[in-house]
Amino acid sequence: MIPEPQTRISERALTVWRISGGIHSLIIWFIGAGLLALAVLFDWPLWITLGVIALCVVYAYLFVLVFPGLRWKRWRYELREQEIELQRGVFIIKRTLVPMVRVQHVDTQQGPLLRKYGLSTVTISTAATVHEIPALDVEEAEELRVSISRLARVADDDV
Amino acid sequence: MSEPKRLHPIAALVNTLKQLKELIIPFVVFVVFGSRGNGWDLVYLIGSVSVLVLVLVFGILSWVRFTYRIEHGELRIEYGIFIRKKRYIPFERIQSLDVSQGILQRPFGLVKVKVETAGSGAMGMEDSEAVLTAITKEEASQIQKVLVSIKKRERQNENGMENEAQPSEGTHVYKISQGELILLASTSGGVGVVLSAVIAFILQFEEFIPYERVFQGFEEFAANGVIFISFVMFCGFLLAWLISFAGTMVKYAGFSVVKADHDLVITRGLLEKRQFTIPLNRIQAVRISENPIRQLFGLASAFVESAGGSSANEESSKVLILPIAKKRKIAELLEPCLKDYQFEPYFKAAPPRAFRRYLLKGLIITVPIVLATSLFFRPWGFLSLLLLAFSALWSWLEFKDAGWSLDSGILTLRYRSLVKSTVFMKKTKVQSMSIKQSPFQRQAQLATIQAMVKSGHSGSGGKVVDLEEEDVESIYKWYSHEAGNEAWENQARPLQ
C-alpha cells in the first residue's frame, strides 16, 4: 500500500463544517416546513409528512454530526520537494498527486466563516486542474502557499 | 513590411455581417413585438434602417482604424474607433497561425488569419488571439515566414549549435479518400438512426401479428400512437442524420495532415478552407475514439489534445487528426509523425472480479426502469426486460475495454463510456493524477485511476474504473516524482 499523506488540516475545520452543515440543514428545514404546511392545507397523506420530517432529521444528522467527522479524519495532505499529495473523501477516498513542475499558481482564500475561525483555504492550480486544501490555519496556509510557489519555481521543466 | 497596413476592404463587409448576425435576435424581437399599431410602422422602418446604416458605418470605421505591421519581431495591431487600442504580439509568443478562407474571402483570393497565443483566458485577458479578417495569401505566407524564421532562431538558441533539419516541404501523413469521407459522414452520430430503424423494424413485424385480436382490450390508440411516434422519431433521426452527413462532407472534404518541421498542419473544408497548425511540442495527449458503429467495422478516429488556443474555440484544443481509419493502421499512420508515442502497447485489463461491479453499476440504473415499466405498462412493459440484456452486454463491453499500459514510458488508459477511448499520455504532460477507492472497491481490492492533461484552457484526460489495486498503485508510483526516495519508502506502512 502506498503510504498515506501525513499532514492533517486544522481541527477547527470540524466546527466550520458543522456550522455550514447546520446552515444547509436550516435551508432544508425551511423547505420541509413549507411542504408540511402544504400537506396540512391540502390533506396530503400522512406518509408524505412523515417522510419529509424523516428526511430533514436525517439530513441534519448526517451533515452536522456524521460527515464532518469522517471528512476531517480522511483529509490529509503532504508537501514534498517535488510534489503535493492530497487525500480526501467521506466514503470514497480520493488521492491526488500534483507535481511541483505542473503547478501554475497557488492562492489562499477565506470566506466569512473561515475568517471567524482564523482559517483559510489553499487553492493549487495546474494548467488543467484546480485542487483545494480547505480550512488550514491562516499561518499554515500562508506558509504552504509561499513554499509551494518557491518549490514550483525551483522545479523546472518544459510544459 | 514595417509600414502599417490595412486589411482588404472586404474585411469591413465581413465585420458588418458578423455584427448583423449578432443583432439578428434582438432585431427579430423588435420586428415581431413592434409592429402592432399602424402608425408606428414608419418609425420602425426608419429605426431598422438607421441601425443597419449605423452598423455599416461602424464596420467601415473599424476597418479604417485597423492596421497591422511587423516590427521588431512583433506583430503590431492597432484598432478601435473611440478608444484606440494597440496589441503587440511578440512572434515568440505566437503558438500557431490558423489560416481559413470563408465564402466572402474566396472570390478575392484572400484568407483570414487567426493568431493564437499561449495567453490564458483565465488570467483576465479576454481573448488570447488576434484575427486578421482578410489579407492576401502572399501577406499571410509572409507572416508565416517571419514566424518560422523567428521560431527557428529561438530554437537554435536553445539547442546551441545543433544542426537544424532543413525546412522541408513537409511529409504527407494522411489524406482522406472519397470513400473514407463518405464512410466518415455516414457513421458520424448515427447511433440514433440505427436504434430507431431497429424499433421501426420490430414494429413492422408487430403489424403482421394480429395482436389486436390477441389482446382484445389493448387500446388501439396506444398501438397506433407507438407506431406513429416511432415513425416521426425515425423521420426526425433520418433528417438529423442527413444534415450531419452533409455537414461532415462539407467540413471534412479534402482533409489532409502534413508534417512540416515541428508542426502538424491540418487542412480541411470544402466551402471554407481551414488550416490548423499544431506545434508538436504543444501536443498534450493523443486520443483514439471508436464509436460503437465504427467499431463494428474496425474503424476508429484519432484526436490530439493541444494546449493553447483560444477558450472560445473548442476545435483548437481537441483536434481531429485522423477522421477515420482502420484501427490496425492507426499506429502505422501516426507513429512517423508522433515519434515518442507507442500506439500498440501491451494492455493490462481489469481483473475478472471487476466484472461484477461493472454489471451492478449498469443494473442499478436499468432494474428500476424495467420494474417500473413492467408494472405500469402491463403487456408491453415486459419488452423492457430486453433492456436488462442490453445493459449486461454494455457492462461487459465496458469491462472488456477497461485497460492500462505503461509501455515505453507512455501512460495509456483505455475505457468506454459510450465511445471507446484510448488516451496516450506522456508523463511530463500529465498535470495531475488521482486514485479513488470506495469501501466496496477496497473490499474487492480494486481502484479507479484518473489522469488529467491540459486541453485548450481546461482539462481533459482519462479515467479507468475498477482496475487491480496494485496496478493502480504502480501507475500512481510511476507518476510520483518521489516514489523511489528513501523517505517515501520509509513511511510505507499499512493504511489501516
Side-chain angles (χ1 to χ4, degrees), chain B residues 250-307:
Chain B
V250 168
K251 198 172 163 193
Y252 291 105
F255 188 102
S256 75
V257 183
V258 172
K259 186 190 177 187
D261 267 347
H262 299 272
D263 298 322
L264 283 183
V265 182
I266 294 167
T267 319
R268 64 166 170 77
L270 186 66
L271 295 177
E272 189 186 22
K273 259 214 167 61
R274 300 205 52 170
Q275 194 177 348
F276 303 91
T277 310
I278 309 163
L280 285 176
N281 60 359
R282 299 289 290 176
I283 291 177
Q284 307 290 307
V286 182
R287 179 187 302 271
I288 294 177
S289 297
E290 295 160 76
N291 82 22
I293 290 180
R294 287 184 192 160
Q295 200 184 356
L296 279 179
F297 300 107
L299 297 167
S301 35
F303 297 86
V304 293
E305 304 274 7
S306 154

Side-chain angles (χ1 to χ4, degrees), chain B residues 45-79:
Chain B
L45 187 68
I46 294 172
S48 320
V49 169
S50 52
V51 166
L52 270 179
V53 170
L54 214 63
V55 170
L56 189 64
V57 167
F58 268 93
I60 292 170
L61 273 182
S62 67
W63 167 72
V64 170
R65 289 292 200 197
F66 192 106
T67 63
Y68 71 96
R69 62 185 192 274
I70 295 172
E71 214 170 64
H72 301 298
E74 289 181 331
L75 178 66
R76 299 185 162 180
I77 295 171
E78 299 186 7
Y79 63 104

Side-chain angles (χ1 to χ4, degrees), chain B residues 242-483:
Chain B
L242 281 176
I243 291 168
S244 92
F245 182 85
T248 315
M249 286 294 277
V250 168
K251 198 172 163 193
Y252 291 105
F255 188 102
S256 75
V257 183
V258 172
K259 186 190 177 187
D261 267 347
H262 299 272
D263 298 322
L264 283 183
V265 182
I266 294 167
T267 319
R268 64 166 170 77
L270 186 66
L271 295 177
E272 189 186 22
K273 259 214 167 61
R274 300 205 52 170
Q275 194 177 348
F276 303 91
T277 310
I278 309 163
L280 285 176
N281 60 359
R282 299 289 290 176
I283 291 177
Q284 307 290 307
V286 182
R287 179 187 302 271
I288 294 177
S289 297
E290 295 160 76
N291 82 22
I293 290 180
R294 287 184 192 160
Q295 200 184 356
L296 279 179
F297 300 107
L299 297 167
S301 35
F303 297 86
V304 293
E305 304 274 7
S306 154
S310 63
S311 52
N313 190 354
E314 178 76 9
E315 288 180 46
S316 66
S317 55
K318 191 181 174 194
V319 186
L320 189 60
I321 53 167
L322 281 186
I324 199 157
K326 281 272 171 211
K327 203 187 171 206
R328 281 177 284 113
K329 288 210 172 150
I330 282 189
E332 197 183 307
L333 282 166
L334 288 187
E335 259 158 26
C337 60
L338 301 164
K339 285 216 172 64
D340 306 327
Y341 292 89
Q342 149 75 35
F343 289 102
E344 277 170 340
Y346 167 73
F347 277 103
K348 200 154 177 233
R353 64 179 186 281
F355 177 55
R356 214 170 46 114
R357 286 183 47 80
Y358 276 95
L359 197 62
L360 276 176
K361 245 177 291 169
L363 291 181
I364 274 177
I365 300 167
T366 46
V367 164
I369 297 175
V370 170
L371 278 182
T373 43
S374 306
L375 266 177
F376 293 119
F377 306 101
R378 249 332 145 96
W380 282 83
F382 288 118
L383 266 183
S384 63
L385 285 172
L386 282 175
L387 204 61
L388 288 183
F390 184 72
S391 148
L393 177 72
W394 200 259
S395 301
W396 184 75
L397 281 177
E398 280 179 329
F399 162 72
K400 195 182 60 110
D401 290 336
W404 65 279
S405 158
L406 279 178
D407 260 10
S408 58
I410 298 284
L411 172 64
T412 310
L413 297 180
R414 193 179 65 186
Y415 57 97
R416 174 191 290 279
S417 46
L418 187 65
V419 174
K420 178 179 168 187
S421 307
T422 315
V423 190
F424 303 82
M425 291 167 277
K426 280 190 218 173
K427 183 177 173 180
T428 51
K429 301 293 184 192
V430 176
Q431 301 288 337
S432 71
M433 184 175 286
S434 301
I435 50 181
K436 265 200 241 178
Q437 208 176 30
S438 73
F440 301 114
Q441 280 179 313
R442 198 163 330 138
Q443 223 164 31
Q445 294 189 321
L446 298 168
T448 299
I449 185 117
Q450 183 173 26
M452 297 295 286
V453 293
K454 181 175 160 73
S455 167
H457 284 307
S458 58
S460 166
K463 178 175 162 184
V464 194
V465 184
D466 289 338
L467 289 177
E468 186 85 58
E469 191 180 31
E470 275 173 30
D471 292 355
V472 166
E473 278 173 12
S474 73
I475 300 173
Y476 199 68
K477 275 187 184 155
W478 165 82
Y479 185 60
S480 168
H481 286 65
E482 312 214 0

Side-chain angles (χ1 to χ4, degrees), chain A residues 117-159:
Chain A
Y117 286 90
L119 298 171
S120 69
T121 293
V122 177
T123 320
I124 303 156
S125 311
T126 70
T129 51
V130 179
H131 310 273
E132 210 179 70
I133 308 176
L136 289 177
D137 193 87
V138 170
E139 274 164 39
E140 198 188 338
E142 196 59 27
E143 224 169 85
L144 187 68
R145 186 171 63 88
V146 171
S147 42
I148 290 177
S149 62
R150 181 177 49 81
L151 289 170
R153 217 173 309 134
V154 172
D156 202 16
D157 203 354
D158 65 315
V159 178

